[in-house]
Amino acid sequence: MSGAEVTESAGRYLSAILLASATSGRPAKTGEVADRLDVNPATVTERLGMLAKEGLVDYERYEGATLTEAGESVTRELMWKRCLVENFATDDLQLPDADAEQIGQALTEETAMALKQYIDHPCTGECRAPDADFEECCADYSTSR
């Protein structure tokens, strides 16, 4: 796994970029990311610039954004951890409203792997969205958003 640390907010932007670009087959447009996150497009433009400076996103104004190799690695790890927590909280703890994103982001690699073994989660170390072949994973990150 990548081990890179990003804020919860940055993780949300990275996830939105991954899913928007993967489903469209082209760079994610600012408006698409804004729609997914329910934020102002100007805010997205500002954040994309910051993520580009961190080397997580390739961004060209009016063209859109794609994740760099490092950005995709971080994003898929974050989405996987979130999915682990979401599955555990919903299925085992009956807590569908648990803050899976924040909890997942706090998991160490060792803790995430232990949780994966405990709940018998189908993937290891990274999210396969939007090509996941199991519906129970990260329902609100689905490509239909």
Side-chain angles (χ1 to χ4, degrees):
M1 286 195 234
S2 68
E5 291 187 28
V6 297
T7 65
E8 182 181 346
S9 176
R12 291 179 57 239
Y13 278 85
L14 293 169
S15 297
I17 293 165
L18 172 70
L19 293 173
S21 62
T23 57
S24 68
R26 58 171 169 64
K29 302 290 186 184
T30 302
E32 293 169 329
V33 175
D35 288 346
R36 282 181 179 269
L37 299 176
D38 195 26
V39 297
N40 185 304
T43 303
V44 173
T45 300
E46 181 180 332
R47 180 53 67 102
L48 292 177
M50 292 168 37
L51 292 170
K53 286 180 184 174
E54 293 174 22
L56 299 171
V57 170
D58 287 324
Y59 172 63
E60 288 190 44
R61 200 172 182 118
Y62 307 113
E63 295 297 319
T66 56
L67 298 178
T68 62
E69 188 175 318
E72 185 165 345
S73 177
V74 167
T75 305
R76 289 190 181 280
E77 180 180 341
L78 288 172
M79 289 175 69
W80 172 70
K81 287 179 176 180
R82 181 187 186 278
C83 184
L84 285 173
V85 172
E86 187 175 275
N87 286 205
F88 179 62
T90 302
D91 297 344
D92 295 290
L93 302 177
Q94 283 76 49
L95 295 172
D97 296 327
D99 189 349
E101 194 147 11
Q102 189 170 25
I103 297 167
Q105 187 147 352
L107 294 179
T108 64
E109 181 176 348
E110 182 180 2
T111 303
M113 293 305 286
L115 183 58
K116 179 231 181 285
Q117 294 299 330
Y118 180 79
I119 65 173
D120 193 28
H121 195 273
C123 64
T124 301
E126 68 176 33
C127 182
R128 297 187 307 239
D131 301 318
D133 58 0
F134 47 95
E135 293 178 9
E136 68 273 10
C137 189
C138 293
D140 63 329
Y141 277 145
S142 72
T143 58
S144 61
R145 276 186 87 174

